[in-house]
Structures are given as C-alpha cells and as structure tokens.
Amino acid sequence: MKAFYFLSLAATCLLSGVSAFPALKDPSSPQYAEFLKRAAEIKAGKYAFGDILKRAENASSSLETPGGGFGHRRLTALLNPDNFKYNAKEQYVDLTSDEHKYIPPGPDDLRGPCPGLNILANHGYFNRNGVTNLFQGIDGINKVFGVEYDLALALNAYAVVFNGNILDLSWSIGGPFKSKDLGALEDVLVGEPAGINAHNIYEGDASIVRQDYYAPGSGYDNVELYMPYFKDLLALGNNDATDGKDVYNAELMLQHKANRWHQSVATNPYFFQSAFGGLVVTTAAERFVAEFAANNTVDENGYNRIYLDEKNLLAFFGVEKGASGNLTYTPGTERLLPSWTRRPLAATFGLDDIVLNLLHAVSIDQSLLSLGGNTGKVNSFAGVDAADITGGAVHTADLLSDPQALSCFLFQTTTEEVVPTLLSSIYKDTGKALDFLGKNFNVPFKKLATAGNNPCTRYNTNATGHYSEFPGSKIPRKQDQGVVGTILGGGSD
Ligand SMILES: *[C@@H]1O[C@H](CO)[C@@H](O)[C@H](O)[C@H]1NC(C)=O
Ligand SMILES: *[C@@H]1O[C@H](CO)[C@@H](O)[C@H](O)[C@H]1NC(C)=O
Ligand SMILES: *[C@@H]1O[C@H](CO)[C@@H](O)[C@H](O)[C@H]1NC(C)=O
Ligand SMILES: *[C@@H]1O[C@H](CO)[C@@H](O)[C@H](O)[C@H]1NC(C)=O
C-alpha cells in the first residue's frame, strides 16, 4: 500500500492554504500568462492572438457575479463571450422548425446521462434515435453549444472508440445500440458497443445530479437525474428563481462539484476518480452546464452577457416546476427553451478551457485534483500520489502553478497510459482503435501540451498501475452487473 497516500497536494494545502500556489490567485503569474498566450495562439491559428485574447479574467472566490447576478461573469472561459458584441442573428439557434423543434424521445430512442447530448437529439441536431456519429457529433456540439473543434473532436473520437462502433464511426448517447456493421464489429470488440452509459469509461462518479454507479441503493443507476442532488444544486443557488439572473455561474457549479465529491466519498464505499472520467469529464461537465445551458443576452453597451438562471437550468435538466414549487423530472425531456440564444461562436469553449477549469476547480477545493478512490469503505479515500505515479518527476504543486504542466500531465495520464490499458479490455485487437485515437484524440491534446515547443516528456505516468487498489475502478461488463468486471489496471475478480 505504500503507493497510496492521501494526495500530497491535499495535505500541503491543508497546512498552508491555497496561497501557497500563487498562480491560482494570480492569473498574471508568468506561467499562467504564458499558457494563455499559447492557447490563444492555437485558437487564433493564422490570426494574431492579440485579436482573440481580449483579456484574462481573474478567478474570484465569490459565487456571485457582479451586479447582483445581472452583471458580466467574473470567471470566464479563455475567450470571454462577453468580450464580443451581442449579435442576435449569429447567436440564433433554430429550436422551433419541424426539423429542430423539441420532440421527446419515443420508446425506441436512446437517451443517456448527459443532458446536453439528450438535448441535441431532442432537437434533431443529433439523430433523434440517440445514435450519432463522429461528424454529426462534432458539428452538433459546435453549432448549438459553441464547443471548439479541438474539444469536440477529442470528445467524439473518444466516444466512437470506447462507446461506439469504430467501423462506421457511430456512437450512442445512451445504452447499447445496434449498428449496421455489428457483425463485423464482433471480430473487433469483446462485447457490443456499450454507449456512454457505460460506467468508468466516459461516465464517472460524483457527477452533477446522477448517482454513482456502485453507490449503495443506486441500483446501478448512473443515468437518471437524482432529485435530492438537483435540489442541493438549487439550494446552493438559494432557490433564486429570478428571471435573467446569473445564479448558476462557473463558481457555483464548481462549488457544487466539490460538494458532490465529498458527498460521494462519504456515502459510496466504491467511489473512484480516474484521470479521464474523473478529472477531465465530470469536473468539466459541471462547467459545461454553466457555459452551455446559459442563455445569452445583450448589455446596455451592446455587448454579450452570458447567464444561467433557474428557468433555463430546469429546462436543460428536464425538470418542471409546479405552481407550488414542486419539481418533476421526466427522463429524456431535456430541452432548450424556444428563445434560448447561443454564446457567440467567436468565443468557443475548448480543451484549454478544460485545463484552466481544473485549476479553477482546485482553487475552490483541492480534492478535485486527486486521482484515486475509496478502498471499500466510506470515507476511506486514498489518493495516488502524483510524484509516485511519475516516478518522482512531478509534484502536484508544479501542476498547479503551471497550466501547461497540467495539460502535459493530463495528456499523459489519459492518452498515453490509460487509453491502451482501457482499449485492451474492450477490443480484441487494439491496433485499429489505437491508430484512430492517435489521429483524432491524441492530436488536439498533444497540440496543447506541446504548444510553444514545450517538450512534455517529463512524466512517465503509471496511473493505471495503481487503479486496481480501488474496487470502484472496475468497468462493469453488463449494464445489470455491478460487481463483476475488468479492473482498469488489468485483471478481473
Ligand atoms: C486582476 O486582478 C489584479 C489584482 O487584483 C488587478 O490589478 C487586475 O486589474 C485584474 N484584472 C482584471 C481583468 O480584472
Ligand atoms: C434569452 O435571451 C434572449 C436575448 O435577450 C431573450 O430574448 C430570451 O427571452 C431569453 N430566453 C430564455 C429562454 O431565457
Ligand atoms: C405540482 O403539484 C400539483 C398538485 O399536486 C400537480 O397538479 C402538478 O402537476 C405538479 N406539477 C409539477 C410540475 O410537478
Ligand atoms: C506501476 O505501478 C504498479 C503498482 O505500484 C507497479 O507494480 C508497476 O511495476 C508499475 N509499473 C511501471 C512500469 O512502473
């Protein structure tokens, strides 16, 4: 067990406080500024980054946006949507034509744990049956939500390989699906494509309003909204239902993530946080809500103002509120309200924002940058020491003070080490999948991690070597089985 310490970061921070990591409080630190510059250069392409990177915002400890919730957000994405003039025509999204009006799913349509993806299917931007593909996936999340191409490609390529059909590039936003090349696929895959419901592949623990797959009493339901968690989120926003008020901003959503993390550690003996599902996906998902469920309007100077009020939040999660304040969730009914307006496409949300988001999350609660899990009992959280998984090459403090070091670390823990291990539990022959991921998933990640000629060669991460110590790291083989499965780090029980 020598490898399993409470993450050194957490211990350090408990003693010294966040101020030990000046970069978190001070985006004007050289490493932070350098990262913003490199990320902006990637985003800008042939344009001068100065035109694109208008200003880097300071992270704030306050949960409130200025102006009583009616001002511009303090914590924003690298490209702040509020730095652009509001343009009703450009930001309009068709949500009412026959092709794109809201239609709830029929009995044979698949829906899953991600409200944003369910919305795309309910509005006909994805096939309404819930089976989409690489190209439609990238196009839909870009066009409707303003997700940057690099992030859209990485998310979709991962879904194709791990949750879909690599032969025809289709993937399911919910459970297992039939696709036309399934016969041929049987030669390649260990089982049928599981869809994104599959636990510990995309979907992970301590998510916004879903239960943990292995949590006692959850009935292995990691797909449907769990009302007590949703009510916790509303309570964090003081149940403030004021129209047009930015109640559910990034800080509040990340605070909710921190609360959910501790709740899972305290209630789920099998809680597990992996590098990709945990650090990248579920933490990012909280932020996705603040960014993508948000409506956009115009301020008194003609600039965009992004905000998320209760009305838009409820619709996004498929929850209706009755006259007496009672809440009803109907699975699969996630939607965008007809007058909802997208962020300016010039201010897309990309992979660099995922990295910055993790730093912002850590500035709210250090636990969020830990890899590891409970060891079979509640409150037994043991973290994998970052120095340990990299043979001493990295200390968590480095990751916090240098966003590009964090990008590099994430790149290595997710793509270079976990991916091959994970692939071997899903594919009979991993060659084709590795090749596909190399082209489509690794490239955008690597571009960010190595921007500005950053070598990104320091770490030799061995995260999966440690995962087997955490019983919650298992990938269930079938949707109805929670206990028998392949352990991420190899082997089975
Ligand atoms: C960020 O914070 C610093 C120090 O508090 C301040 O001088 C600077 O103006 C702030 N920048 C922005 C964009 O608000
Ligand atoms: C979104 O903002 C637009 C622009 O101000 C406004 O017309 C519309 O009513 C808002 N829609 C929702 C659903 O909040
Ligand atoms: C709220 O409760 C009332 C009375 O029980 C019921 O008629 C109504 O359908 C409920 N509305 C929602 C949205 O749950
Ligand atoms: C990875 O970590 C495990 C568990 O500590 C260890 O047994 C294994 O030898 C390590 N592998 C490498 C390549 O360092």
Side-chain angles (χ1 to χ4, degrees):
M1 288 296 283
K2 102 166 203 347
F4 305 100
Y5 310 116
F6 199 85
L7 192 63
S8 62
L9 157 69
T12 312
C13 290
L14 286 174
L15 295 175
S16 57
V18 185
S19 58
F21 305 106
L24 290 176
K25 285 264 179 204
D26 177 16
S28 60
S29 79
Q31 296 98 328
Y32 202 102
E34 188 58 22
F35 179 79
L36 295 183
K37 196 178 125 200
R38 288 173 185 170
E41 279 167 342
I42 292 175
K43 280 185 199 276
K46 63 189 163 74
Y47 304 104
F49 64 80
D51 295 344
I52 286 213
L53 181 64
K54 303 279 186 193
R55 61 189 158 120
E57 294 285 331
N58 289 347
S60 161
S61 56
S62 165
L63 293 184
E64 291 279 326
T65 30
F70 293 97
H72 293 277
R73 287 182 172 180
R74 284 205 172 94
L75 178 57
T76 67
L78 180 58
L79 299 182
N80 183 353
D82 292 359
N83 283 336
F84 296 85
K85 283 274 163 75
Y86 179 78
N87 180 337
K89 199 169 159 213
E90 190 270 330
Q91 295 175 239
Y92 167 80
V93 175
D94 174 9
L95 299 166
T96 52
S97 69
D98 280 352
E99 194 184 352
H100 293 303
K101 68 184 177 199
Y102 165 75
I103 305 175
D108 296 329
D109 296 334
L110 296 169
R111 296 294 183 267
C114 174
L117 298 177
N118 292 350
I119 282 172
L120 290 167
N122 289 343
H123 282 286
Y125 284 95
F126 281 6
N127 301 328
R128 291 189 184 265
N129 67 6
V131 180
T132 184
N133 61 59
L134 183 72
F135 308 104
Q136 188 183 57
I138 292 171
D139 190 53
I141 64 176
N142 174 264
K143 203 155 64 195
V144 177
F145 292 124
V147 176
E148 193 168 310
Y149 182 77
D150 64 350
L151 178 58
L153 174 64
L155 294 175
N156 274 278
Y158 188 90
V160 166
V161 168
F162 291 107
N163 312 101
N165 180 347
I166 194 169
L167 301 180
D168 67 5
L169 306 184
S170 61
W171 58 278
S172 150
I173 68 169
F177 65 107
K178 300 285 171 224
S179 66
K180 60 180 188 304
D181 287 322
L182 205 58
L185 201 60
E186 277 162 10
D187 297 335
V188 184
L189 283 186
V190 174
E192 63 183 343
I196 65 160
N197 288 359
H199 180 58
N200 270 343
I201 294 183
Y202 226 120
E203 187 280 327
D205 285 342
S207 75
I208 311 169
V209 288
R210 265 70 181 169
Q211 297 179 90
D212 292 356
Y213 186 82
Y214 293 121
S218 75
Y220 306 123
D221 178 8
N222 58 344
V223 174
E224 293 201 356
L225 177 142
Y226 184 60
M227 191 50 86
Y229 296 159
F230 190 73
K231 286 184 172 166
D232 288 345
L233 175 59
L234 296 182
L236 197 59
N238 294 319
N239 293 294
D240 188 336
T242 313
D243 239 25
K245 182 169 176 183
D246 193 23
V247 176
Y248 299 94
N249 57 28
E251 290 92 337
L252 184 137
M253 293 307 300
L254 292 173
Q255 181 62 57
H256 177 70
K257 171 67 191 175
N259 298 348
R260 288 282 303 111
W261 194 94
H262 291 286
Q263 197 167 30
S264 279
V265 169
T267 56
N268 175 10
Y270 306 109
F271 171 71
F272 177 63
Q273 172 152 298
S274 71
F276 189 68
L279 292 187
V280 177
V281 179
T282 63
T283 309
E286 290 277 355
R287 182 64 184 274
F288 285 177
V289 173
E291 301 292 333
F292 305 144
N295 193 28
N296 288 266
T297 184
V298 60
D299 77 1
E300 61 282 7
N301 300 313
Y303 280 91
N304 189 72
R305 187 174 75 79
I306 186 169
Y307 71 92
L308 180 53
D309 58 4
E310 189 190 270
K311 179 177 70 182
N312 282 289
L313 182 86
L314 293 176
F316 191 83
F317 280 101
V319 175
E320 281 184 303
K321 191 172 173 180
S324 58
N326 49 330
L327 300 170
T328 305
Y329 161 65
T330 311
T333 62
E334 296 88 350
R335 61 184 300 188
L336 295 169
L337 298 170
S339 62
W340 179 89
T341 305
R342 179 187 20 74
R343 69 203 289 122
L345 268 192
T348 49
F349 190 92
L351 262 185
D352 37 28
D353 291 306
I354 301 274
V355 175
L356 293 174
N357 183 56
L358 202 48
L359 290 175
H360 294 142
V362 174
S363 74
I364 287 172
D365 190 323
Q366 294 85 10
S367 311
L368 297 178
L369 189 68
S370 52
L371 289 174
N374 277 338
T375 55
K377 287 197 288 260
V378 297
N379 292 317
S380 64
F381 185 85
V384 180
D385 189 289
D388 189 63
I389 59 174
T390 57
V394 62
H395 293 279
T396 317
D398 298 343
L399 300 180
L400 291 181
S401 62
D402 182 352
Q404 199 164 25
L406 182 60
S407 311
C408 183
F409 177 76
L410 290 176
F411 169 62
Q412 295 195 2
T413 47
T414 59
T415 68
E416 294 195 332
E417 219 244 336
V418 178
V419 162
T421 320
L422 201 51
L423 277 182
S424 61
S425 70
I426 298 175
Y427 283 84
K428 289 177 189 160
D429 173 3
T430 59
K432 192 178 166 67
L434 269 177
D435 188 47
F436 179 83
L437 280 176
K439 291 197 185 90
N440 299 297
F441 181 76
N442 297 14
V443 166
F445 255 105
K446 192 168 184 175
K447 197 166 160 191
L448 188 66
T450 59
N453 295 321
N454 182 46
C456 188
T457 51
R458 281 177 281 177
Y459 319 131
N460 177 24
T461 58
N462 182 17
T464 49
H466 301 286
Y467 283 179
S468 61
E469 295 297 321
F470 306 109
S473 73
K474 283 173 225 162
I475 301 167
R477 276 225 192 278
K478 290 202 180 101
Q479 289 304 304
D480 58 352
Q481 281 180 324
V483 281
V484 181
T486 307
I487 289 169
L488 269 175
S492 60
D493 66 358

PDB file of all heavy atoms in Angstrom, residues 69-88:
ATOM      1  N   GLY A  69     -25.864  39.591  -9.850  1.00  0.00           N
ATOM      2  CA  GLY A  69     -26.172  38.465 -10.735  1.00  0.00           C
ATOM      3  C   GLY A  69     -26.599  38.915 -12.121  1.00  0.00           C
ATOM      4  O   GLY A  69     -26.835  38.092 -12.995  1.00  0.00           O
ATOM      5  N   PHE A  70     -26.664  40.221 -12.343  1.00  0.00           N
ATOM      6  CA  PHE A  70     -27.059  40.725 -13.657  1.00  0.00           C
ATOM      7  C   PHE A  70     -25.883  41.348 -14.418  1.00  0.00           C
ATOM      8  O   PHE A  70     -26.053  41.929 -15.471  1.00  0.00           O
ATOM      9  CB  PHE A  70     -28.206  41.733 -13.545  1.00  0.00           C
ATOM     10  CG  PHE A  70     -29.483  41.095 -13.076  1.00  0.00           C
ATOM     11  CD1 PHE A  70     -29.852  41.141 -11.746  1.00  0.00           C
ATOM     12  CD2 PHE A  70     -30.290  40.404 -13.970  1.00  0.00           C
ATOM     13  CE1 PHE A  70     -31.012  40.528 -11.312  1.00  0.00           C
ATOM     14  CE2 PHE A  70     -31.452  39.786 -13.544  1.00  0.00           C
ATOM     15  CZ  PHE A  70     -31.823  39.849 -12.209  1.00  0.00           C
ATOM     16  N   GLY A  71     -24.686  41.239 -13.826  1.00  0.00           N
ATOM     17  CA  GLY A  71     -23.512  41.808 -14.486  1.00  0.00           C
ATOM     18  C   GLY A  71     -22.778  40.747 -15.292  1.00  0.00           C
ATOM     19  O   GLY A  71     -23.267  39.638 -15.478  1.00  0.00           O
ATOM     20  N   HIS A  72     -21.583  41.105 -15.756  1.00  0.00           N
ATOM     21  CA  HIS A  72     -20.772  40.150 -16.510  1.00  0.00           C
ATOM     22  C   HIS A  72     -20.061  39.210 -15.544  1.00  0.00           C
ATOM     23  O   HIS A  72     -19.645  39.624 -14.476  1.00  0.00           O
ATOM     24  CB  HIS A  72     -19.771  40.900 -17.387  1.00  0.00           C
ATOM     25  CG  HIS A  72     -20.432  41.677 -18.487  1.00  0.00           C
ATOM     26  ND1 HIS A  72     -20.796  41.093 -19.678  1.00  0.00           N
ATOM     27  CD2 HIS A  72     -20.841  42.968 -18.548  1.00  0.00           C
ATOM     28  CE1 HIS A  72     -21.389  42.009 -20.439  1.00  0.00           C
ATOM     29  NE2 HIS A  72     -21.430  43.155 -19.772  1.00  0.00           N
ATOM     30  N   ARG A  73     -19.900  37.980 -15.942  1.00  0.00           N
ATOM     31  CA  ARG A  73     -19.283  36.971 -15.087  1.00  0.00           C
ATOM     32  C   ARG A  73     -17.858  37.342 -14.728  1.00  0.00           C
ATOM     33  O   ARG A  73     -17.144  37.922 -15.541  1.00  0.00           O
ATOM     34  CB  ARG A  73     -19.272  35.625 -15.806  1.00  0.00           C
ATOM     35  CG  ARG A  73     -20.618  34.997 -15.876  1.00  0.00           C
ATOM     36  CD  ARG A  73     -20.572  33.643 -16.543  1.00  0.00           C
ATOM     37  NE  ARG A  73     -21.889  33.023 -16.408  1.00  0.00           N
ATOM     38  CZ  ARG A  73     -22.207  31.832 -16.866  1.00  0.00           C
ATOM     39  NH1 ARG A  73     -21.307  31.121 -17.520  1.00  0.00           N
ATOM     40  NH2 ARG A  73     -23.419  31.347 -16.687  1.00  0.00           N
ATOM     41  N   ARG A  74     -17.439  36.954 -13.541  1.00  0.00           N
ATOM     42  CA  ARG A  74     -16.039  37.161 -13.153  1.00  0.00           C
ATOM     43  C   ARG A  74     -15.163  36.078 -13.754  1.00  0.00           C
ATOM     44  O   ARG A  74     -14.126  36.351 -14.322  1.00  0.00           O
ATOM     45  CB  ARG A  74     -15.917  37.093 -11.619  1.00  0.00           C
ATOM     46  CG  ARG A  74     -16.413  38.329 -10.920  1.00  0.00           C
ATOM     47  CD  ARG A  74     -15.734  38.460  -9.554  1.00  0.00           C
ATOM     48  NE  ARG A  74     -16.062  39.731  -8.944  1.00  0.00           N
ATOM     49  CZ  ARG A  74     -17.069  39.897  -8.101  1.00  0.00           C
ATOM     50  NH1 ARG A  74     -17.832  38.879  -7.762  1.00  0.00           N
ATOM     51  NH2 ARG A  74     -17.327  41.078  -7.592  1.00  0.00           N
ATOM     52  N   LEU A  75     -15.590  34.833 -13.579  1.00  0.00           N
ATOM     53  CA  LEU A  75     -14.776  33.717 -14.078  1.00  0.00           C
ATOM     54  C   LEU A  75     -15.326  33.299 -15.437  1.00  0.00           C
ATOM     55  O   LEU A  75     -16.488  32.926 -15.557  1.00  0.00           O
ATOM     56  CB  LEU A  75     -14.854  32.551 -13.098  1.00  0.00           C
ATOM     57  CG  LEU A  75     -14.107  31.277 -13.492  1.00  0.00           C
ATOM     58  CD1 LEU A  75     -12.641  31.562 -13.727  1.00  0.00           C
ATOM     59  CD2 LEU A  75     -14.271  30.230 -12.421  1.00  0.00           C
ATOM     60  N   THR A  76     -14.503  33.388 -16.445  1.00  0.00           N
ATOM     61  CA  THR A  76     -14.979  33.088 -17.794  1.00  0.00           C
ATOM     62  C   THR A  76     -14.038  32.107 -18.485  1.00  0.00           C
ATOM     63  O   THR A  76     -12.990  31.755 -17.965  1.00  0.00           O
ATOM     64  CB  THR A  76     -15.029  34.367 -18.656  1.00  0.00           C
ATOM     65  OG1 THR A  76     -13.687  34.814 -18.851  1.00  0.00           O
ATOM     66  CG2 THR A  76     -15.836  35.454 -17.999  1.00  0.00           C
ATOM     67  N   ALA A  77     -14.428  31.709 -19.667  1.00  0.00           N
ATOM     68  CA  ALA A  77     -13.555  30.893 -20.497  1.00  0.00           C
ATOM     69  C   ALA A  77     -12.437  31.783 -21.039  1.00  0.00           C
ATOM     70  O   ALA A  77     -12.495  33.009 -20.938  1.00  0.00           O
ATOM     71  CB  ALA A  77     -14.351  30.290 -21.649  1.00  0.00           C
ATOM     72  N   LEU A  78     -11.418  31.136 -21.615  1.00  0.00           N
ATOM     73  CA  LEU A  78     -10.289  31.888 -22.168  1.00  0.00           C
ATOM     74  C   LEU A  78     -10.777  32.963 -23.135  1.00  0.00           C
ATOM     75  O   LEU A  78     -10.319  34.098 -23.107  1.00  0.00           O
ATOM     76  CB  LEU A  78      -9.345  30.916 -22.873  1.00  0.00           C
ATOM     77  CG  LEU A  78      -8.106  31.502 -23.521  1.00  0.00           C
ATOM     78  CD1 LEU A  78      -7.253  32.244 -22.528  1.00  0.00           C
ATOM     79  CD2 LEU A  78      -7.295  30.405 -24.179  1.00  0.00           C
ATOM     80  N   LEU A  79     -11.701  32.588 -23.993  1.00  0.00           N
ATOM     81  CA  LEU A  79     -12.318  33.590 -24.851  1.00  0.00           C
ATOM     82  C   LEU A  79     -13.649  33.964 -24.214  1.00  0.00           C
ATOM     83  O   LEU A  79     -14.608  33.201 -24.272  1.00  0.00           O
ATOM     84  CB  LEU A  79     -12.543  33.035 -26.257  1.00  0.00           C
ATOM     85  CG  LEU A  79     -11.281  32.611 -27.001  1.00  0.00           C
ATOM     86  CD1 LEU A  79     -11.637  32.127 -28.392  1.00  0.00           C
ATOM     87  CD2 LEU A  79     -10.284  33.758 -27.082  1.00  0.00           C
ATOM     88  N   ASN A  80     -13.672  35.100 -23.591  1.00  0.00           N
ATOM     89  CA  ASN A  80     -14.849  35.517 -22.832  1.00  0.00           C
ATOM     90  C   ASN A  80     -15.975  35.909 -23.787  1.00  0.00           C
ATOM     91  O   ASN A  80     -15.837  36.849 -24.569  1.00  0.00           O
ATOM     92  CB  ASN A  80     -14.435  36.719 -21.973  1.00  0.00           C
ATOM     93  CG  ASN A  80     -15.560  37.199 -21.082  1.00  0.00           C
ATOM     94  OD1 ASN A  80     -16.690  36.724 -21.186  1.00  0.00           O
ATOM     95  ND2 ASN A  80     -15.233  38.129 -20.206  1.00  0.00           N
ATOM     96  N   PRO A  81     -17.098  35.183 -23.721  1.00  0.00           N
ATOM     97  CA  PRO A  81     -18.195  35.510 -24.647  1.00  0.00           C
ATOM     98  C   PRO A  81     -18.672  36.961 -24.477  1.00  0.00           C
ATOM     99  O   PRO A  81     -19.201  37.551 -25.419  1.00  0.00           O
ATOM    100  CB  PRO A  81     -19.304  34.526 -24.291  1.00  0.00           C
ATOM    101  CG  PRO A  81     -18.844  33.739 -23.124  1.00  0.00           C
ATOM    102  CD  PRO A  81     -17.400  34.033 -22.868  1.00  0.00           C
ATOM    103  N   ASP A  82     -18.438  37.520 -23.293  1.00  0.00           N
ATOM    104  CA  ASP A  82     -18.906  38.882 -23.036  1.00  0.00           C
ATOM    105  C   ASP A  82     -17.967  39.956 -23.595  1.00  0.00           C
ATOM    106  O   ASP A  82     -18.217  41.149 -23.456  1.00  0.00           O
ATOM    107  CB  ASP A  82     -19.116  39.096 -21.532  1.00  0.00           C
ATOM    108  CG  ASP A  82     -20.291  38.273 -21.009  1.00  0.00           C
ATOM    109  OD1 ASP A  82     -20.932  37.568 -21.825  1.00  0.00           O
ATOM    110  OD2 ASP A  82     -20.564  38.335 -19.804  1.00  0.00           O
ATOM    111  N   ASN A  83     -16.875  39.526 -24.210  1.00  0.00           N
ATOM    112  CA  ASN A  83     -15.995  40.495 -24.868  1.00  0.00           C
ATOM    113  C   ASN A  83     -16.438  40.799 -26.293  1.00  0.00           C
ATOM    114  O   ASN A  83     -15.812  41.588 -26.986  1.00  0.00           O
ATOM    115  CB  ASN A  83     -14.560  39.972 -24.922  1.00  0.00           C
ATOM    116  CG  ASN A  83     -13.866  40.109 -23.591  1.00  0.00           C
ATOM    117  OD1 ASN A  83     -14.245  40.940 -22.776  1.00  0.00           O
ATOM    118  ND2 ASN A  83     -12.876  39.280 -23.345  1.00  0.00           N
ATOM    119  N   PHE A  84     -17.492  40.110 -26.722  1.00  0.00           N
ATOM    120  CA  PHE A  84     -17.953  40.305 -28.094  1.00  0.00           C
ATOM    121  C   PHE A  84     -19.291  41.029 -28.098  1.00  0.00           C
ATOM    122  O   PHE A  84     -20.083  40.899 -27.157  1.00  0.00           O
ATOM    123  CB  PHE A  84     -18.091  38.943 -28.787  1.00  0.00           C
ATOM    124  CG  PHE A  84     -16.770  38.234 -28.928  1.00  0.00           C
ATOM    125  CD1 PHE A  84     -16.261  37.461 -27.887  1.00  0.00           C
ATOM    126  CD2 PHE A  84     -16.011  38.366 -30.078  1.00  0.00           C
ATOM    127  CE1 PHE A  84     -15.025  36.831 -27.992  1.00  0.00           C
ATOM    128  CE2 PHE A  84     -14.773  37.736 -30.193  1.00  0.00           C
ATOM    129  CZ  PHE A  84     -14.291  36.965 -29.153  1.00  0.00           C
ATOM    130  N   LYS A  85     -19.522  41.758 -29.157  1.00  0.00           N
ATOM    131  CA  LYS A  85     -20.813  42.423 -29.317  1.00  0.00           C
ATOM    132  C   LYS A  85     -21.895  41.367 -29.493  1.00  0.00           C
ATOM    133  O   LYS A  85     -21.691  40.362 -30.184  1.00  0.00           O
ATOM    134  CB  LYS A  85     -20.772  43.367 -30.532  1.00  0.00           C
ATOM    135  CG  LYS A  85     -20.030  44.678 -30.264  1.00  0.00           C
ATOM    136  CD  LYS A  85     -20.972  45.705 -29.657  1.00  0.00           C
ATOM    137  CE  LYS A  85     -20.287  46.885 -28.992  1.00  0.00           C
ATOM    138  NZ  LYS A  85     -19.718  47.886 -29.840  1.00  0.00           N
ATOM    139  N   TYR A  86     -23.010  41.591 -28.844  1.00  0.00           N
ATOM    140  CA  TYR A  86     -24.145  40.682 -28.994  1.00  0.00           C
ATOM    141  C   TYR A  86     -24.662  40.779 -30.426  1.00  0.00           C
ATOM    142  O   TYR A  86     -24.838  41.872 -30.958  1.00  0.00           O
ATOM    143  CB  TYR A  86     -25.244  41.067 -28.001  1.00  0.00           C
ATOM    144  CG  TYR A  86     -26.480  40.195 -28.101  1.00  0.00           C
ATOM    145  CD1 TYR A  86     -26.489  38.917 -27.543  1.00  0.00           C
ATOM    146  CD2 TYR A  86     -27.631  40.646 -28.742  1.00  0.00           C
ATOM    147  CE1 TYR A  86     -27.622  38.114 -27.621  1.00  0.00           C
ATOM    148  CE2 TYR A  86     -28.764  39.846 -28.827  1.00  0.00           C
ATOM    149  CZ  TYR A  86     -28.743  38.582 -28.273  1.00  0.00           C
ATOM    150  OH  TYR A  86     -29.864  37.791 -28.349  1.00  0.00           O
ATOM    151  N   ASN A  87     -24.871  39.603 -31.057  1.00  0.00           N
ATOM    152  CA  ASN A  87     -25.321  39.587 -32.441  1.00  0.00           C
ATOM    153  C   ASN A  87     -26.456  38.566 -32.554  1.00  0.00           C
ATOM    154  O   ASN A  87     -26.234  37.364 -32.665  1.00  0.00           O
ATOM    155  CB  ASN A  87     -24.148  39.202 -33.350  1.00  0.00           C
ATOM    156  CG  ASN A  87     -24.534  39.154 -34.814  1.00  0.00           C
ATOM    157  OD1 ASN A  87     -25.708  38.992 -35.169  1.00  0.00           O
ATOM    158  ND2 ASN A  87     -23.546  39.295 -35.682  1.00  0.00           N
ATOM    159  N   ALA A  88     -27.680  39.084 -32.485  1.00  0.00           N
ATOM    160  CA  ALA A  88     -28.857  38.216 -32.400  1.00  0.00           C
ATOM    161  C   ALA A  88     -28.907  37.213 -33.550  1.00  0.00           C
ATOM    162  O   ALA A  88     -29.274  36.060 -33.367  1.00  0.00           O
ATOM    163  CB  ALA A  88     -30.127  39.064 -32.370  1.00  0.00           C
TER     164      ALA A  88
END
